Amino acid sequence: MYSMKRASELLGIPVVTIRAWENRYGVISPNRSSGGHRLLSEEDLAKLSFLKDQIQKNGLKISEAARLLQQSESVPAEPDQEQAPKRPISGRSYDGLVDKLYTDLISFNALQADKTIDLAFALYDFEETFRCILVPVLYRIGAEWEAGKIAVVQEHFASETIMRRLSALYRVYPVDPDLPAVLAFCPEGERHHLGLLSFSLFLRKRGVNVLYAGPDTPFQDLEAIIGGQNISFVAISVTDTRYIDKLMEWIETAARHNPQLRFLLGGAAFDGQAARRKVKANVRYLSADEWEDWHHA
Ligand code: B12
């Protein structure tokens, strides 16, 4: 087994890229060490090396290379091949459920999609289901939509179906009044809020009272709410970098008026280094991987 760092050195692929390929395209499913760190197998390394070659030598985009890898994996093994398991037995494979849910959703089979999600929740807890099944399905749908293979209405239907299921979970967890209250929102214009919802559920599960304002929230009345509801933490999710500048201006003003206030930022918009440089002392940026590590803490 190889650590992320070792795999990165051997393959000449930055750690951050390997994680992105894992999260966005589900191309590898590393095991975890007892400390929660990823351990990559020979098979994982072979897949990463294949992807790198497709991109560098054949000029493919990562989404195309990942699709090619998937297709090659679904080709049945030659009958005379040794029956070595495709994946480490100790590692869980979610591929069956991911494939099933993907097919249910793009064929608009809401009933079947709900049943598949029920099955996932029956097998795994909400966080594992979300990270290992729902997010990979969404990323796959996003890649297919980007490649023009599925229509925008299929993508909308899929994200709404998943959103509905997550929202339903929201009210089941009791609130611990001793924990500080959190306000969660996406700034004006930003409609991608599945990441924010899942983070809020993570907090709700632990008894935190999260005031979920959700997508496309105007800045205008937020400070009044922060004061009135005794908020000590603000969680914000941004996908599109265009919304960062205005958000940072608002954070600066809100922090000046409420020096005790802390801000936690997440979402794909902050993946780029340039955007991260704007982060200040009372503002913490949590990358998707750091957040994932919280689950193992
Ligand atoms: C579902 C979806 C939508 C849905 C959103 C539904 C909803 N209720 O959220 C709808 C249909 C509304 C939509 C609209 C659009 N979308 Co869209 N969408 C997607 C899709 C397929 C999945 C996004 C998603 O929900 N992922 C699952 C979440 C859980 O993952 P995540 O956001 O990456 O978050 C992870 C981390 O960042 C972290 N995280 C996120 N937030 C937070 C917050 C905190 C505090 C913490 C700790 C962590 C954290 O947790 C997550 C898990 O690790 C992506 C495809 C993709 N590859 O991402 C495109 C994608 C994001 N969309 C895109 C685009 C272009 C659009 C539109 C502009 C399309 C259009 N022409 O209208 C509009 C923009 C609307 C707007 N103004 O915001 C682009 C974004 C490109 C860019 N970089 O800006 C993508 C990448 C598709 C693509 N490949 O081009 N979209």
Side-chain angles (χ1 to χ4, degrees):
M1 290 297 210
Y2 303 84
S3 69
M4 276 295 247
K5 190 163 171 278
R6 186 78 191 112
S8 161
E9 284 163 359
L10 287 170
L11 297 168
I13 308 174
V15 168
V16 65
T17 307
I18 299 179
R19 285 178 173 168
W21 290 355
E22 179 198 346
N23 290 332
R24 303 218 168 111
Y25 303 99
V27 288
I28 52 167
S29 336
N31 287 328
R32 295 274 174 175
S33 68
S34 51
H37 297 291
R38 289 172 175 75
L39 291 175
L40 282 77
S41 64
E42 298 276 357
E43 190 189 350
D44 290 329
L45 262 61
K47 287 179 181 175
L48 293 169
S49 164
F50 170 86
L51 292 175
K52 186 183 171 194
D53 279 354
Q54 295 306 319
I55 294 166
Q56 290 189 346
K57 297 191 182 143
N58 297 336
L60 294 191
K61 289 202 288 193
I62 174 61
S63 53
E64 295 168 325
R67 203 172 312 126
L68 199 63
L69 179 67
Q70 248 165 25
Q71 283 163 1
S72 68
E73 283 182 305
S74 58
V75 173
E78 296 288 331
D80 58 348
Q81 263 181 356
E82 207 38 69
Q83 272 127 51
K86 259 189 143 327
R87 294 183 185 282
I89 293 164
S90 56
R92 286 176 175 174
S93 170
Y94 308 92
D95 293 359
L97 280 173
V98 170
D99 288 344
K100 176 83 177 65
L101 183 59
Y102 171 82
T103 312
D104 297 340
L105 289 170
I106 61 158
S107 53
F108 298 105
N109 196 337
L111 204 69
Q112 203 48 57
D114 271 327
K115 281 188 186 162
T116 308
I117 297 175
D118 286 341
L119 178 62
F121 279 133
L123 291 171
Y124 312 113
D125 72 5
F126 131 72
E127 275 145 14
E128 194 170 1
T129 301
F130 183 78
R131 288 182 299 116
C132 305
I133 296 166
L134 303 183
V135 171
V137 167
L138 282 166
Y139 282 150
R140 191 193 293 183
I141 285 175
E144 299 278 289
W145 169 67
E146 198 185 1
K149 296 205 163 172
I150 63 166
V152 72
V153 59
Q154 286 166 301
E155 187 242 36
H156 278 36
F157 174 80
S159 53
E160 278 308 312
T161 304
I162 290 176
M163 197 77 204
R164 232 186 8 254
R165 293 299 302 258
L166 291 178
S167 312
L169 279 175
Y170 203 79
R171 63 193 161 81
V172 302
Y173 302 118
V175 166
D176 179 346
D178 294 333
L179 293 174
V182 172
L183 172 70
F185 76 94
C186 297
E188 266 170 35
E190 181 58 76
R191 284 173 50 210
H192 298 97
H193 66 124
L194 274 156
L196 184 74
L197 182 63
S198 80
F199 179 69
S200 302
L201 279 168
F202 174 87
L203 296 179
R204 285 288 286 108
K205 198 176 167 193
R206 285 150 185 86
V208 178
N209 180 20
V210 184
L211 275 71
Y212 192 77
D216 192 13
T217 303
F219 292 115
Q220 187 172 292
D221 300 320
L222 286 179
E223 280 201 61
I225 292 161
I226 287 166
Q229 300 295 323
N230 211 6
I231 302 284
S232 39
F233 249 98
V234 185
I236 306 166
S237 174
V238 193
T239 297
D240 189 328
T241 50
R242 283 176 306 164
Y243 303 122
I244 289 183
D245 285 346
K246 212 171 159 197
L247 170 68
M248 287 306 174
E249 275 173 33
W250 176 79
I251 288 181
E252 223 152 272
T253 317
R256 226 181 9 254
H257 298 159
N258 310 274
Q260 82 298 342
L261 203 58
R262 294 287 173 270
F263 302 84
L264 189 65
L265 307 180
F270 298 103
D271 285 351
Q273 289 301 318
R276 272 195 218 191
R277 253 183 264 130
K278 294 168 196 254
V279 171
K280 306 269 180 348
N282 53 346
V283 182
R284 172 150 185 218
Y285 164 77
L286 202 64
S287 73
D289 287 320
E290 284 166 327
W291 179 42
E292 199 185 313
D293 289 343
W294 283 25
H295 295 290
H296 303 278

